[in-house]
Amino acid sequence: MLVDRLCERYGESVATAKGRFYAVPSVAAIAKDPEIEATFRGLGFGYRAAYYAKSVQMLCAEHPDPDAFLDGLRALPADRARAELLRLSGVGPKVADCVCLMSLDNPATVPIDTHMWQVAQRRYVPRILDGSLPDVPSAAVALARQLRSARAPTSATYEAAQQLFVHLFGP
């Protein structure tokens, strides 16, 4: 597993009654490696190695304590946390939303992947527009109209699909 390899390479060794483990390393500990990208590639991170290396370097350049900055994202409103995550190399809307949902305690965040997109398009948009889905808020109807002809998510339709789910199911 990549996380295990990362921890073993950069983390502090921790001896326990069940064996030796490695702590999750700090961003600063990783940044000390002059060949971060090459090390990440060697650990099996593939094409993402360059993104991770750039993100580590950016975090260290912009924040005296990058780990405190990342921890502090939890206290921000979801839209601000998402905006900060989107600044990281290789992080797009879906990844930022996954982090907001699963790591930053923002349960109203809805990551839209291929499957969620298809659920919206096949299950909800047609039923909202033909009136067969009861008690639909007017905002959801407007979003369904916007999504009706979209074939794939764009920035605008990604946001519309997110909001459609929030209007249908609440935060």
Side-chain angles (χ1 to χ4, degrees):
M1 173 180 253
L2 292 176
V3 173
D4 293 330
R5 288 185 230 150
L6 179 78
C7 292
E8 188 173 344
R9 171 64 177 85
Y10 295 110
E12 296 288 324
S13 176
V14 179
T16 71
K18 295 190 178 203
R20 182 163 304 282
F21 296 92
Y22 295 88
V24 175
S26 67
V27 175
I30 297 169
K32 290 177 185 174
D33 182 349
E35 299 293 327
I36 300 170
E37 184 178 343
T39 301
F40 282 170
R41 285 190 190 283
L43 293 173
F45 284 83
Y47 73 91
R48 291 183 180 94
Y51 298 143
Y52 298 149
K54 287 177 188 169
S55 292
V56 165
Q57 292 162 342
M58 184 196 95
L59 287 165
C60 288
E62 293 183 10
H63 305 283
D65 186 346
D67 293 297
F69 166 75
L70 292 171
D71 289 340
L73 294 178
R74 181 174 274 120
L76 296 179
D79 60 334
R80 286 193 43 219
R82 182 178 193 261
E84 289 294 337
L85 291 166
L86 287 169
R87 294 183 61 238
L88 298 173
S89 180
V91 175
K94 185 186 86 170
V95 169
D97 289 338
C98 286
V99 171
C100 285
L101 175 65
M102 295 178 233
S103 298
L104 299 180
D105 304 325
N106 287 301
T109 304
V110 182
I112 302 296
D113 64 3
T114 299
H115 305 289
M116 291 298 289
W117 178 259
Q118 290 173 356
V119 167
Q121 289 291 359
R122 292 181 185 161
R123 181 165 176 85
Y124 292 103
V125 169
R127 292 174 64 204
I128 290 168
L129 295 177
D130 72 11
S132 65
L133 194 64
D135 303 320
V136 175
S138 60
V141 174
L143 291 164
R145 285 187 189 118
Q146 184 180 348
L147 293 169
R148 168 182 32 214
S149 61
R151 296 288 171 238
T154 63
S155 294
T157 58
Y158 181 99
E159 300 286 336
Q162 279 187 315
Q163 289 306 306
L164 177 71
F165 284 112
V166 171
H167 283 293
L168 290 176
F169 301 107

